[in-house]
C-alpha cells in the first residue's frame, strides 16, 4: 500500500474493519482465502507443519527411534513448508485472485518445496561431494534461489528482495566493483554451492534457529491468543488503568507490552490491541494521529520485550554465543525502561491537553483499588513461588518420578484456578466503536483468566530452573497449553453448571486446530525472512564484505567514535526499512555489529558483544515506525482515521526515547545488568535509568510539571545524560583504568570473579595480512581450577614467552574467535579499573539535585498558572 493510494481527498485515511483484516492477513498470514478442497489441503499442510515442528522438538523421535533427523534435514523440511505455503497463501500481484490458487502458483509452490527439500531428499549423496556440485545440484540451487526471492517478494515486499539481489551481484561481479569494495568474485558453481548446498547461506544459522526455536514460540503465542489470553490482557489493562488521565492510552501501552511478550509481529500487535484501544484513546481527547502513534510505538516496542523479542532473542543466542537466559537478562531492563518512558509520554500528553479517564460504574476508593490489585498480583506471585520452590523440593525428593508428580500438581492448580475463575463472567470484547459507558470491574476481570499464566509459568520454569533448551522448554509449555485449550471450555461448563460438555469439547478441539494452523501461517513470512537474510549472511562469509563496511565507516567517520556510532545507527535504520524483525536483526548484526566491535576496539570502546548486537537491533527495529515504509503506522492510521505519514512521524517522535537507550548502554553496560555487584547496586541502576528515561521524555515532549522553558529542556537533557552515563563526568576527573603488564594474565584470570570481563590489548597480523592493534573484552565465564582451563572454556590458549604473552590457539567457532583473536597474536597490555577512583554513581547526587531544582521551579510556575495572576499575587 502506497502513501498516495492511502489518502483520500479529505486527507484522512479511512479503512473498514474488513480492510484492516486484509492488511493483517497480507502482512502476516497471506491474503488468499481459497474455498473447497484447496482450502482443506492448505489447512492440512499448515497443520502438518505445526505437527512436524512439535515432533522434532520433542524427545519422541529419540525415544522411539523413528524419523530422527539432523539439523540440516530439519532446516530443509522447515523451509520447504514455508515456501510452499508462501506461494499458496500470498497472491503474486494486487490483481491476482484471492478466492482460489491459480495453477501456476501450485506449480511454483511444488517446485520451490522440492528445491528447499533437496538437502533432505539427497542428503547422503550431497555429503559425498562437498564443494563439487553436479549440474543437477546447480539447477536446483539457482531455481531455488529465484523462487525464494519471489516468495520473499510476495510475503515480505520488495525491500529485502532488492537487498538480497544487490548482495548476489556483489558475489559474482566483485572484480568489476570500485577498488574500495572490489574482491576476487566467485564462479556460479562456488556461489550457488555456498548459498544453497551448504549451511553457510540460506540454510545457515538463521533458518536453523527459525526451525529449532522460533516456530515453537510463535506457535505458543498463537495458541495462547486463540485460548483468549489476548482479550484477557487488553481487558485487564483497561480495567486497571482506564480511569487515569488518558487512561485508555496508558492501557494500550500495558496491553501491547503484555501481548508483545508472546507476539513476533508488530502489525499483528497493532491490530489486536489497537482495534479496541485506539477508539477509546480518541474518545478521551487524544488527536487521531497521536492515538494511533501511541499504539504503534507500544506495539513495536513489544519486539524489544523478552522472552521472544520478535524472535531475535533466539538468533542472538547463536550469533553472540551466550545462553538464552543471559540474552533475556541483558535485554529486560532497557525494554522495561522504554515502556515506562512511553507510559510517561502518554501521561504528559494527557497533562498538556488536560484529558481525563473513563468512568467506573462505582467509583473505587484508593484503598480498595490497591488491595484488589495487590491481592491479584500476590496470588500470581504466591502461585509462582509455590511452583518454583515446590517443584524444586519435589525434584530432589522424587527424582525421576518428579515429572509425573509435578504434572499432577500443575493439573490440580489448573482445575482449582478455573473453579475459582468460573464464579466470574466470561470475558467478551465489546465493539470498540460503541461508547464504553463504564470500565470493566477490576477484580472479576483480573480473576477470570489467571489460568492463562500457567503455561508461562511452565515456560519460565523449564528455562530457568530445569535449564532446558529454549526449544524443549517451548515444547513442554506448548503441550500444556494444548491441554488447556482443549479442556478449559468443558471444565468451565462443569463449574458453571451449563451442562454443554459436548459443544464445549468440540469448540475446544476447533480452537486447537485453529491455533495450530494460525501458528504455521504466522511462521510463513518469518521462515522466508530468515532464509532470504541467509543470502546476506552467506555473502559476508564468502566475500568478506564485512571488512569493507568497517573500512568504509572508518574512512567516513574519520575515526571519531561518536560519529561512527551515529553512522552505524543511521545505516541500521536504512537497512531495516521494510524488513520483518527477524530478517532485520540478521542483516544489521551481520553487516554492522562487526563494524562497531572493530572500530570501537581501536578507540578503546570495549563492550560485551551482546551490547553491540542490542545496539544494532534497536536501530534496525526503529525502521518499523519510520515513514514511508512502516506498515504498522498504516494499520494504526486506518483504525484511527488519521493520515498515515503524520502518524508515522508522531510515532517516530514517541520512539525517540528508545533511540537514546542504545547509545547509553553502549557506554554504560550496567543498564544491561553487566557489572552489577549487589541488590542495592541493581536497584540504584534501574531507578536512576528510569528517572533518566522520564526526564528525556519530559525534555523532548516540552512538558514536565508544566510547559518547559528552553533552558529547562536543556537542563533536563543534561540530567538525562548524567544519570544514563555518569562515567563520562567521572572520567574527566579520574582516569578510568590502570595498565598492568601481560605477564599478570594468569594471576588475574584465576582471581577474577564469576562472569567477569578482562580488558586486554592485542597486536598481530591476520591471515589476510592485515595488521591489528586493538582492545578486546575477554569474557571469563565460570571460575576453573586454573587460568588455562578458564581460558580454554572460551576457546583460547595462550603461552608465556618471558614477559610477553602470545595466543597459541583459538578454537573454531568459539567466543574467542568471535572477538577477532587469532593464533600468533600478542597480548601487549591489560587494563584494570583504576584504584582509588570514586564510584561513578556519586555523579547521581548533583544530577538529582539539579532535577529537584527544576521541579521546584516548575511547581511554583504551575501553581501560579492555576491560580491566575491576581490570585497568585494575593497568595
Amino acid at each position: 500500500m502506497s502513501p498516495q493510494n492511502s489518502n483520500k481527498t479529505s486527507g484522512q485515511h479511512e479503512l473498514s474493519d474488513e480492510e484492516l483484516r486484509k492488511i493483517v492477513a497480507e502482512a502476516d498470514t497471506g491474503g488468499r482465502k481459497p474455498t473447497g478442497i484447496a482450502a482443506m489441503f492448505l489447512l492440512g499442510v499448515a497443520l502438518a507443519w505445526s505437527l512436524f515442528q512439535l515432533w522434532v522438538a520433542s524427545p519422541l523421535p529419540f525415544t522411539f527411534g523413528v524419523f530422527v533427523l539432523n539439523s540440516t534435514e530439519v532446516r530443509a523440511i522447515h523451509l520447504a513448508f514455508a515456501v510452499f505455503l508462501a506461494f499458496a497463501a500470498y497472491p503474486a500481484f494486487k490483481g491476482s485472485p484471492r478466492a482460489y490458487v491459480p495453477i501456476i502458483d501450485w506449480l511454483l509452490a511444488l517446485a520451490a518445496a522440492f528445491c528447499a527439500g533437496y538437502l533432505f531428499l539427497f542428503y547422503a549423496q550431497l555429503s559425498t561431494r562437498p564443494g563439487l556440485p553436479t549440474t543437477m545440484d546447480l539447477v536446483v540451487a539457482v531455481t531455488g534461489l529465484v523462487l525464494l526471492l519471489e516468495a520473499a517478494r510476495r510475503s515480505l515486499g520488495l525491500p529485502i528482495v532488492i537487498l538480497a539481489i544487490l548482495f548476489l551481484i556483489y558475489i559474482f561481479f566483485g572484480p568489476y566493483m570500485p577498488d574500495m569494495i572490489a574482491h576476487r568474485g566467485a564462479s556460479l558453481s562456488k556461489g550457488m554451492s555456498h548459498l544453497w548446498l551448504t549451511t553457510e547461506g540460506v540454510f545457515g544459522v538463521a533458518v536453523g534457529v527459525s526451525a529449532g526455536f522460533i516456530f515453537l514460540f510463535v506457535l505458543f503465542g498463537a495458541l495462547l491468543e486463540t485460548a483468549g489470553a489476548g482479550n484477557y490482557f487488553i481487558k485487564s489493562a483497561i480495567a486497571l488503568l482506564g480511569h487515569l488521565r488518558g487512561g485508555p492510552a496508558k492501557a494500550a501501552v500495558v496491553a501491547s507490552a503484555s501481548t508483545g511478550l508472546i507476539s513476533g509481529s508488530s502489525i499483528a500487535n497493532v491490530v489486536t490491541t489497537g482495534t479496541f484501544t485506539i477508539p477509546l484513546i480518541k474518545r478521551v481527547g487524544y488527536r487521531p494521529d497521536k492515538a494511533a502513534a501511541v499504539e504503534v510505538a507500544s506495539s513495536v516496542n513489544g519486539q524489544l520485550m523478552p522472552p521472544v523479542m520478535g524472535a531475535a532473542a533466539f538468533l542472538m543466542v547463536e550469533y553472540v554465543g551466550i545462553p538464552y537466559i543471559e540474552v533475556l537478562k541483558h535485554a529486560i531492563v532497557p525494554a522495561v525502561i522504554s515502556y515506562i518512558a512511553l507510559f510517561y509520554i502518554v501521561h504528559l500528553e494527557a497533562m498538556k491537553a488536560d484529558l481525563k479517564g473513563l468512568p467506573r460504574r462505582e467509583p473505587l476508593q484508593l484503598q480498595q483499588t490497591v488491595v484488589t490489585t495487590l491481592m491479584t498480583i500476590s496470588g500470581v506471585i504466591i502461585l509462582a513461588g509455590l511452583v518454583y520452590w515446590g517443584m524444586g523440593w519435589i525434584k530432589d525428593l522424587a527424582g525421576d518420578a518428579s515429572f509425573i508428580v509435578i504434572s499432577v500438581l500443575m493439573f490440580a492448580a489448573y482445575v482449582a484456578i478455573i473453579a475459582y475463575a468460573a464464579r466470574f463472567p466470561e470475558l467478551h470484547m465489546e465493539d470498540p466503536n460503541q461508547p464504553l459507558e463504564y470500565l470493566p470491574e477490576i477484580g472479576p476481570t483480573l480473576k477470570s483468566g489467571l489460568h492463562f499464566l500457567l503455561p508461562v509459568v511452565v515456560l519460565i520454569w523449564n528455562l530457568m530452573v530445569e535449564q532446558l533448551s529454549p526449544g524443549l522448554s517451548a515444547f513442554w509449555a506448548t503441550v500444556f497449553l494444548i491441554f488447556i485449550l482443549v479442556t478449559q471450555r468443558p471444565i468451565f461448563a462443569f463449574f458453571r453448571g451449563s451442562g454443554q460438555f459436548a459443544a464445549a469439547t468440540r469448540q475446544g478441539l476447533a480452537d486447537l486446530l485453529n491455533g495450530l494452523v494460525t501458528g504455521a501461517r504466522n511462521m510463513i513470512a518469518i521462515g522466508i525472512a530468515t532464509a532470504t537474510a541467509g543470502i546476506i549472511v552467506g555473502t559476508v562469509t564468502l566475500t568478506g564484505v564485512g571488512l569493507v563496511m568497517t573500512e568504509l565507516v572508518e574512512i567516513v567517520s574519520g575515526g571519531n567514535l561518536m560519529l561512527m556510532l551515529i553512522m552505524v545507527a543511521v545505516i541500521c535504520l536504512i537497512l531495516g526499512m521494510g524488513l520483518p524483525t527477524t530478517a532485520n536483526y540478521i542483516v544489521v548484526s551481520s553487516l554492522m555489529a562487526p563494524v562497531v566491535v572493530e572500530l570501537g576496539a581501536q578507540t578503546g570502546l570495549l563492550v560485551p558483544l551482546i551490547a553491540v548486537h542490542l545496539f544494532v537491533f534497536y536501530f534496525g527495529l526503529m525502521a518499523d515506525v519510520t515513514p514511508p515504509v512502516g506498515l504498522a503506522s498504516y494499520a494504526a492510521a486506518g483504525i484511527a482515521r488519521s493520515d498515515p505519514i503524520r502518524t508515522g512521524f508522531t510515532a517516530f517522535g514517541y520512539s525517540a526515547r528508545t533511540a537514546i537507550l542504545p547509545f547509553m548502554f553502549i557506554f554504560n553496560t550496567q543498564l544491561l545488568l553487566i557489572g552489577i555487584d549487589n541488590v542495592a547496586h541493581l536497584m540504584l541502576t534501574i531507578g536512576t535509568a528510569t528517572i533518566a528515561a522520564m526526564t528525556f521524555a519530559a525534555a523532548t515532549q516540552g512538558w514536565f510539571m508544566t510547559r518547559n522553558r528552553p533552558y529547562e529542556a536543556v537542563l533536563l537533557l543534561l540530567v538525562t545524560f548524567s544519570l544514563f552515563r555518569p562515567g563520562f563526568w567521572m572520567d574527566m576527573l579520574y582516569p578510568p583504568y590502570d595498565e598492568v603488564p601481560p605477564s599478570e594474565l594468569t594471576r588475574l584470570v584465576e582471581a577474577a570473579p564469576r562472569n567477569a570481563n578482562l580488558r586486554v590489548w592485542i597486536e598481530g597480523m591476520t591471515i589476510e595480512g592485515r595488521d591489528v592493534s586493538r582492545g578486546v573484552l575477554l569474557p571469563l565465564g565460570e571460575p576453573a581450577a586454573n587460568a588455562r582451563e578458564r581460558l580454554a572454556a572460551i576457546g583460547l590458549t595462550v603461552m608465556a614467552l618471558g614477559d610477553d604473552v602470545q595466543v597459541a590457539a583459538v578454537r573454531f567457532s568459539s567466543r574467542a574467535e568471535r572477538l577477532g583473536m587469532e593464533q600468533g597474536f600478542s597480548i601487549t597490555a591489560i587494563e584494570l579499573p583504576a584504584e582509588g577512583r570514586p564510584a561513578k554513581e556519586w555523579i547521581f547526587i548533583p544530577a538529582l539535585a539539579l532535577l529537584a531544582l527544576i521541579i521546584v521551579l516548575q511547581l511554583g510556575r504551575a501553581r501560579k498558572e492555576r491560580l491566575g495572576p491576581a490570585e497568585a499575587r494575593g497568595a
Side-chain angles (χ1 to χ4, degrees), residues 155-167:
S155 58
L156 305 170
L158 279 175
I160 192 172
V161 177
I162 293 171
L163 194 62
I165 290 174
L166 289 175
F167 277 85

Side-chain angles (χ1 to χ4, degrees), residues 47 107 262 304 329 375 430 435 506 524 535 543 552 629 634 659 680 700 802 839:
L47 179 62
L107 296 175
I262 56 174
L304 305 174
K329 183 187 82 172
M375 284 180 64
E430 294 86 356
R506 284 195 300 271
I524 298 172
I535 296 173
T543 66
L552 186 64
V629 180
Y634 280 97
T700 53

Side-chain angles (χ1 to χ4, degrees), residues 341-420:
L342 180 59
F343 191 91
Y344 187 57
I345 287 172
V346 167
H347 177 72
L348 293 176
E349 291 283 9
M351 293 290 290
K352 284 192 282 186
D354 194 25
L355 304 180
K356 306 300 180 185
L358 295 172
R360 297 194 180 282
R361 191 175 301 278
E362 295 181 5
L364 294 178
Q365 296 179 356
L366 177 61
Q367 180 181 0
Q368 186 178 354
T369 305
V370 171
V371 169
T372 305
T373 305
L374 287 180
M375 284 180 64
T376 304
I377 296 173
S378 299
V380 176
I381 294 174
I382 291 169
L383 173 65
L386 289 174
V387 169
Y388 182 89
W389 296 110
M391 283 183 175
W393 174 76
I394 290 167
K395 188 176 180 182
D396 293 336
L397 185 67
D400 293 339
S402 61
F403 178 82
I404 297 174
V405 176
I406 290 167
S407 299
V408 170
L409 288 176
M410 288 298 291
F411 173 75
Y414 165 59
V415 174
I417 289 173
I418 288 192
Y420 179 67

Side-chain angles (χ1 to χ4, degrees), residues 605-784:
L605 177 66
L606 307 183
V607 294
L609 198 54
I610 183 65
V612 177
H613 278 252
L614 285 173
F615 179 89
V616 297
F617 175 55
Y618 267 57
F619 280 105
L621 199 60
M622 286 290 288
D624 279 4
V625 299
T626 308
V629 180
L631 189 56
S633 295
Y634 280 97
I639 300 170
R641 308 290 192 263
S642 66
D643 180 79
I645 300 298
R646 187 177 185 184
T647 298
F649 278 114
T650 306
F652 190 81
Y654 288 167
S655 299
R657 92 274 175 217
T658 302
I660 192 178
L661 278 171
F663 284 100
M664 295 302 107
F665 62 60
I666 276 284
F667 291 106
N668 181 15
T669 53
Q670 288 175 348
L671 295 173
L672 303 179
L673 301 186
I674 297 172
I676 300 294
D677 300 326
N678 48 56
V679 175
H681 193 188
L682 172 67
M683 300 308 295
L684 180 64
T685 300
I686 295 175
T688 52
T690 302
I691 295 172
M694 295 172 72
T695 55
F696 180 77
T700 53
Q701 293 301 306
W703 190 282
F704 191 26
M705 303 297 163
T706 184
R707 192 169 301 281
N708 295 336
R709 289 177 175 166
Y711 71 88
E712 290 173 335
V714 172
L715 292 177
L716 285 170
L717 290 175
L718 180 61
V719 170
T720 300
F721 181 78
S722 301
L723 293 178
F724 268 138
R725 195 187 167 193
F728 178 82
W729 306 113
M730 193 60 74
D731 290 349
M732 291 183 175
L733 302 175
Y734 299 91
Y737 299 104
D738 291 332
E739 188 174 303
V740 298
S743 56
E744 294 286 302
L745 180 66
T746 299
R747 180 183 65 81
L748 294 172
V749 170
E750 289 178 349
R754 179 176 179 268
N755 290 331
N757 293 298
L758 192 63
R759 293 172 61 95
V760 301
W761 287 85
I762 58 173
E763 288 183 0
M765 181 179 290
T766 67
I767 56 175
E768 294 89 6
R770 187 167 52 92
D771 289 325
V772 169
S773 177
R774 61 188 180 87
V776 171
L777 200 63
L778 279 183
L780 297 180
E782 298 290 337

